[in-house]
Amino acid sequence: MSDRTTPEGDRTHDLIGIGLGPFNLSLAALADRIPTTGHQQPLTTAFYEQRPAFHWHPGLLIDGATLQVPFLADLTTLADPTSPWTFLNYLRTRDRLYPFYFAEQFHIHRAEYDAYCRWVSEQLPTIHFDHHVDSVSWNPDHQHFEVEHTHHGPHGHTHARTHTRHIALGVGTAPFIPEPLRPLADAPGVPVIHSADYLHHRDTLLKADHITVIGSGQSGAEIFLDLLRARPRGIERIHWLARTQAFAPMEYSKLGLEHFTPDYTHYFHALPEDVRDTLVPQQWQLHKGIDTDTITAIHDELYRRTLHGGWPDATLTPGVTVRTAGRLSGTGNRIELHLEHTQQNTRTRLTTDAVVLATGYRERPLDTLLTGITPHIHRDKQGRPRIHADFRLDLDPTVTGNIYVQNAERHTHGVGAPDLGLAAWRSATILNHLTGTNPYPLPTRTAFTTFGLNPRTTPAVPGQTTKTTPLTQDH
């Protein structure tokens, strides 16, 4: 067994998690109580999150909004249904199993999922809020990572360094603001907000004379519906714009959903890089469409407003891009959007008082945090990190520790990377590799669809073999 202490006498962690969204929270929950190989000590882990508490998209917890995945896609169930951190056990601790049973809700409310995750985060002793990770570096002499972090406590800031054999990055995604609208979104006092902050600005938005929602995905649809329901009949004054050629339903057929299985993830990872890059944008309807219940609710609400004659003052226009945007001089904070319709090849201007950007999210760049590791990261032809099938960054052999990534691997693992339904499986895959054992036996088949002519082949980075690194191995 290798030495598990640093030269300073501090214990070296087996795993440090950076960031705490649902994915690293899943990893923390499944890592709880796993013994390391060769002895009965549990894994030594710590998860650092800069926020003071767990919150999952608080600006989008609209009344009645539900998850787009079943409740079984919780933090642990699809890897270990006997875990104490399942959603059903959360209900049991709240004495709510029977109400949930009779509610017959396969898709739970987002607010309930948020409360469930917060409950798990408050129970796990390995989670540390108010901790900002400043830097990560590799110590070649002692064969471990050094994580510098700052604790923002009630009595000031405390700086510290933690040593770890492995790292899990769960820094998540950031709201994406299109370039033409970025100056307005950054300007103080201008009502141009991202959907991630919708609920924080809802009251102000509802006071605006005219509102424009941009984006054809689920968030855009939910926000449009919420605003529509809150505006008086006949004077709704809402525009809903989208680049897509239609306000299209999400692909939610049972065979279509098999794109969010480990089988498809393995298949996608084994494809050539240029094929993967072509596939991802073509599959937008798998994850960027609108669920049919929301589309139905929008149409029903619009139809209800025609019952006494007339049409609602709501305009829904797909196939439109925003070329430029700016404030109208002499009109306070009124906004002018310069629009182009791609099929008609026509242009026009739209004046509005507030804009909600339901324009999605982008993966946060890893290089900012991993400055000290950047020279050791192998990259693809586009300069993106290469990522092994078991979610490890492809690093120089001189770095014997592993850096695992969560929701930063769409270019290598496909559209399922941000999907909650694959969270527990990915966490289990990481823990199986990290321990060099099999604490979470994974299914050998997960789809009726056979993807490709050589199905269910677990790929590796070209030119390399997949390695396992048991914790007790002396590097």
Side-chain angles (χ1 to χ4, degrees):
M1 185 184 306
S2 59
D3 184 13
R4 295 173 62 83
T5 60
T6 68
E8 296 84 3
D10 298 328
R11 185 174 177 83
T12 300
H13 287 67
D14 297 315
L15 176 69
I16 292 292
I18 301 174
L20 196 76
F23 299 135
N24 257 1
L25 183 58
S26 167
L27 187 64
L30 286 172
D32 186 41
R33 305 174 190 171
I34 290 182
T36 52
T37 307
H39 56 84
Q40 294 305 309
Q41 295 181 16
L43 283 177
T44 307
T45 67
F47 290 80
Y48 297 135
E49 167 57 47
Q50 62 183 351
R51 296 173 300 173
F54 183 94
H55 291 288
W56 184 70
H57 295 302
L60 280 171
L61 300 181
I62 300 169
D63 259 1
T66 60
L67 289 186
Q68 293 173 277
V69 293
F71 72 90
L72 292 172
D74 63 14
L75 300 173
T76 62
T77 291
L78 292 177
D80 180 13
T82 67
S83 165
W85 308 117
T86 64
F87 176 71
L88 288 179
N89 194 46
Y90 162 73
L91 292 178
R92 185 190 64 82
T93 65
R94 293 293 192 269
D95 201 20
R96 295 181 57 230
L97 271 176
Y98 271 91
F100 179 72
Y101 168 54
F102 291 120
E104 296 184 350
Q105 291 181 349
F106 202 47
H107 294 81
I108 63 175
H109 289 94
R110 285 189 196 159
E112 186 167 31
Y113 178 79
D114 176 60
Y116 153 67
C117 288
R118 190 156 44 255
W119 169 76
V120 175
S121 73
E122 291 168 352
Q123 307 298 314
L124 290 171
T126 56
I127 290 173
H128 306 278
F129 290 107
D130 287 316
H131 280 69
H132 181 271
V133 172
D134 303 306
S135 65
V136 176
S137 59
W138 173 252
N139 186 322
D141 295 329
H142 302 295
Q143 300 288 287
H144 61 224
F145 293 101
E146 295 181 350
V147 180
E148 304 278 350
H149 51 89
T150 302
H151 177 214
H152 300 280
H155 305 295
H157 305 329
T158 304
H159 301 281
R161 175 188 297 161
T162 305
H163 308 93
T164 182
R165 299 177 184 281
H166 308 289
I167 288 173
L169 292 178
V171 294
T173 55
F176 173 71
I177 298 175
E179 190 62 39
L181 290 146
R182 195 165 296 164
L184 291 178
D186 293 338
V190 180
V192 175
I193 66 160
H194 193 272
S195 57
D197 298 316
Y198 170 67
L199 286 183
H200 308 316
H201 298 274
R202 183 177 183 272
D203 291 343
T204 301
L205 289 168
L206 286 174
K207 294 175 184 176
D209 182 55
H210 184 278
I211 309 170
T212 300
V213 179
I214 300 175
S216 62
Q218 183 67 18
S219 296
E222 290 174 352
I223 289 170
F224 175 79
L225 178 59
D226 185 62
L227 292 171
L228 180 64
R229 286 171 168 169
R231 305 281 273 191
R233 186 171 66 86
I235 50 174
E236 295 84 0
R237 308 230 347 117
I238 309 174
H239 252 75
W240 185 15
L241 306 174
R243 286 189 308 168
T244 55
Q245 301 309 313
F247 295 104
M250 186 173 295
E251 167 56 67
Y252 208 76
S253 66
K254 289 179 170 57
L255 290 179
L257 288 175
E258 291 193 340
H259 286 84
F260 300 96
T261 59
D263 279 11
Y264 184 76
T265 302
H266 290 319
Y267 161 78
F268 185 90
H269 188 276
L271 293 172
E273 178 186 330
D274 57 342
V275 176
R276 296 196 305 246
D277 288 345
T278 301
L279 265 179
V280 169
Q282 293 176 351
Q283 296 174 329
W284 66 271
Q285 214 165 333
L286 288 170
H287 60 106
K288 289 186 178 180
I290 308 166
D291 75 57
T292 54
D293 288 344
T294 306
I295 291 177
T296 300
I298 289 171
H299 192 276
D300 287 351
E301 182 64 28
L302 291 169
Y303 177 74
R304 186 181 67 81
R305 289 168 182 254
T306 69
L307 295 183
H308 303 291
W311 288 71
D313 188 3
T315 304
L316 293 73
T317 311
V320 172
T321 59
V322 178
R323 296 175 52 249
T324 59
R327 277 189 284 190
L328 281 175
S329 59
T331 62
N333 283 328
R334 298 208 81 193
I335 300 157
E336 184 175 79
L337 303 176
H338 293 204
L339 308 179
E340 180 174 6
H341 194 283
T342 53
Q343 291 180 346
Q344 287 183 325
N345 194 27
T346 54
R347 295 180 178 180
T348 189
R349 299 180 182 185
L350 172 65
T351 301
T352 188
D353 297 285
V355 177
V356 181
L357 300 172
T359 46
Y361 299 79
R362 295 293 185 273
E363 296 171 356
R364 286 191 171 94
L366 303 180
D367 290 345
T368 304
L369 184 62
L370 300 179
T371 302
I373 310 294
T374 296
H376 302 288
I377 300 175
H378 295 168
R379 300 180 183 275
D380 64 16
K381 291 181 289 186
Q382 305 299 320
R384 300 164 299 195
R386 294 168 64 185
I387 301 171
H388 291 267
D390 45 28
F391 304 99
R392 291 176 294 128
L393 289 181
D394 184 18
L395 301 173
D396 287 338
T398 54
V399 180
T400 56
N402 293 310
I403 299 178
Y404 302 95
V405 296
Q406 303 232 53
N407 195 14
E409 73 282 4
R410 184 179 296 182
H411 63 290
T412 56
H413 288 67
V415 293
D419 190 76
L420 294 176
L422 286 172
W425 170 75
R426 177 170 51 200
S427 294
T429 301
I430 291 171
L431 290 168
N432 286 355
H433 180 270
L434 183 149
T435 60
T437 61
N438 197 32
Y440 293 109
L442 298 175
T444 57
R445 183 172 183 177
T446 55
F448 291 113
T449 305
T450 298
F451 297 103
L453 299 181
N454 185 20
R456 290 180 291 284
T457 298
T458 302
V461 172
Q464 296 189 6
T465 57
T466 301
K467 62 174 182 176
T468 58
T469 52
L471 292 170
T472 56
Q473 197 172 42
D474 195 349
H475 296 303

